[in-house]
Amino acid sequence: EMEAKYTRKMQALWDEMDLRRKTELHELEERKNTQISELMGNHEGAFGAIKNYYNDITAKNLTLINLLKEQVEDLKKKEAILEKEKAEVLLQNKELTGPLQEAQDLVAELQKKLVHYYRDKEALMNSKAHLKITQKELKDLQWEHEVLEQQFSKVQAERDDLYQKFTRAINEVQQKTGFKNLLLERKLHGLLNLLEQKEVELSEVVAASNLSPSALSLVSHKLEDVLNSKNATIQDLQLQLARVCKAHNDMLQTFEAKLTAFGIPLDNLGFQPLSFPFPGQ
């Protein structure tokens, strides 16, 4: 009974599952047919579109080919014309080769001149700049020159004044020194003459008196004392003369140094200063 019962249930379930399977198969078949119909419709539409597209392209290509053929014909005609013109241009080119070479030579020469022109222009600009600087320096130098001229005039006036003072001073000193030297020399010559005269007189006295040796020795000693005194006087006079000569020469050196400091040549004095030698020179 249980086996029969479950066999019946099994059969019922089998029938139910078979019915469900058939239903699902039928639905699946309908969906498949629907999709096939849609795909076929889509494919037919796409095929029609592609067919129309390629038909359009073919028509356009045919039109383009015809147009290109026409353009090729036109280009061939133009090429023939250009070949003819080319021949004419080559002929003209041969005829213009000479003038072209001359023109190229002229261009090269003009380029060289242009380079020189730019160089000259740059040099001119530099010269103008240098000229401006030089003009400024010239103005500064002119101003300095005016200032220096004023200072020079002032210094020249002072120099002339000092020159006159020095000239007067040197004349006075030369006159005084010359006069004093003359007096000293005359006095010295006088003393020397007097000494010679005294020596001569002494010799005559000694020769005439026939003195004894002791008396002669005494007279000689006295004479030596007198001579020593006179020699001392002579040396003193020579020393005074040397001091006067040295002072005169020092004054001349100072005067010459001042003239050199003021830029006055020594030849402008108008006379030659007398430089006295020292005694014994």
Side-chain angles (χ1 to χ4, degrees):
E1 289 177 0
M2 287 181 65
E3 184 176 0
K5 181 181 178 180
Y6 280 103
T7 300
R8 287 192 300 270
K9 285 184 178 183
M10 192 68 179
Q11 185 64 42
L13 181 61
W14 181 268
D15 293 336
E16 183 182 356
M17 293 298 292
D18 185 54
L19 180 60
R20 185 182 293 176
R21 179 181 61 81
K22 289 180 180 180
T23 304
E24 289 179 357
L25 286 175
H26 181 70
E27 292 177 356
L28 182 61
E29 188 70 24
E30 289 181 354
R31 286 199 301 270
K32 182 187 71 171
N33 292 329
T34 303
Q35 289 180 356
I36 290 172
S37 298
E38 291 178 357
L39 287 173
M40 289 180 67
N42 292 332
H43 287 170
E44 288 178 359
F47 180 74
I50 291 172
K51 186 177 180 180
N52 294 328
Y53 172 74
Y54 282 106
N55 288 331
D56 293 338
I57 289 177
T58 303
K60 289 180 181 179
N61 287 334
L62 290 174
T63 304
L64 182 61
I65 289 170
N66 293 326
L67 179 62
L68 290 175
K69 285 182 179 180
E70 294 177 358
Q71 290 180 357
V72 168
E73 293 295 331
D74 293 336
L75 290 174
K76 286 181 179 180
K77 293 179 181 178
K78 290 181 180 180
E79 184 179 3
I81 295 172
L82 290 175
E83 287 292 335
K84 185 178 179 180
E85 292 179 353
K86 178 182 176 181
E88 295 177 355
V89 169
L90 288 174
L91 182 60
Q92 293 177 359
N93 190 15
K94 289 181 181 179
E95 295 177 353
L96 294 174
T97 301
L100 177 62
Q101 185 64 36
E102 295 177 359
Q104 288 177 349
D105 296 337
L106 181 61
V107 168
E109 184 68 24
L110 291 175
Q111 286 179 348
K112 292 180 181 179
K113 290 183 179 180
L114 183 62
V115 172
H116 291 300
Y117 168 74
Y118 285 133
R119 290 179 182 175
D120 295 338
K121 185 178 180 181
E122 185 177 358
L124 180 62
M125 292 176 65
N126 294 332
S127 299
K128 287 182 178 179
H130 184 67
L131 179 61
K132 290 182 180 179
I133 297 172
T134 305
Q135 287 177 348
K136 185 178 182 300
E137 292 177 354
L138 178 61
K139 289 181 181 179
D140 295 338
L141 290 175
Q142 287 177 348
W143 181 78
E144 292 179 1
H145 178 69
E146 292 178 359
V147 174
L148 290 175
E149 278 188 346
Q150 295 176 0
Q151 294 178 356
F152 175 75
S153 300
K154 184 179 179 181
V155 172
Q156 193 174 18
E158 294 177 356
R159 182 203 66 181
D160 294 338
D161 187 22
L162 289 174
Y163 176 75
Q164 293 176 0
K165 290 181 180 179
F166 275 123
T167 304
R168 289 196 298 268
I170 196 68
N171 289 331
E172 292 176 0
V173 171
Q174 279 190 340
Q175 290 177 0
K176 291 179 181 179
T177 305
F179 182 69
K180 190 173 182 180
N181 289 341
L182 182 61
L183 290 178
L184 290 174
E185 288 178 357
R186 287 183 179 180
K187 189 173 182 180
L188 180 61
H189 285 300
L191 290 174
L192 290 174
N193 292 330
L194 181 61
L195 177 62
E196 292 177 357
Q197 185 179 358
K198 293 297 183 181
E199 287 180 352
V200 171
E201 290 177 357
L202 179 62
S203 299
E204 291 177 353
V205 169
V206 170
S209 62
N210 294 321
L211 294 176
S212 63
S214 61
L216 184 60
S217 176
L218 180 62
V219 172
S220 298
H221 285 301
K222 289 183 178 179
L223 182 59
E224 287 179 358
D225 292 337
V226 173
L227 289 176
N228 289 331
S229 175
K230 297 300 182 181
N231 288 330
T233 303
I234 291 171
Q235 289 179 358
D236 184 48
L237 290 174
Q238 288 178 345
L239 183 60
Q240 293 181 11
L241 179 62
R243 284 199 296 269
V244 171
C245 290
K246 185 176 183 303
H248 176 74
N249 292 334
D250 291 341
M251 185 271 297
L252 283 178
Q253 292 178 359
T254 304
F255 179 64
E256 291 175 356
K258 290 292 183 181
L259 290 178
T260 304
F262 282 101
I264 303 173
L266 299 178
D267 297 336
N268 292 345
L269 287 176
F271 61 91
Q272 181 66 32
L274 180 62
S275 178
F276 292 100
F278 294 109
Q281 293 182 347

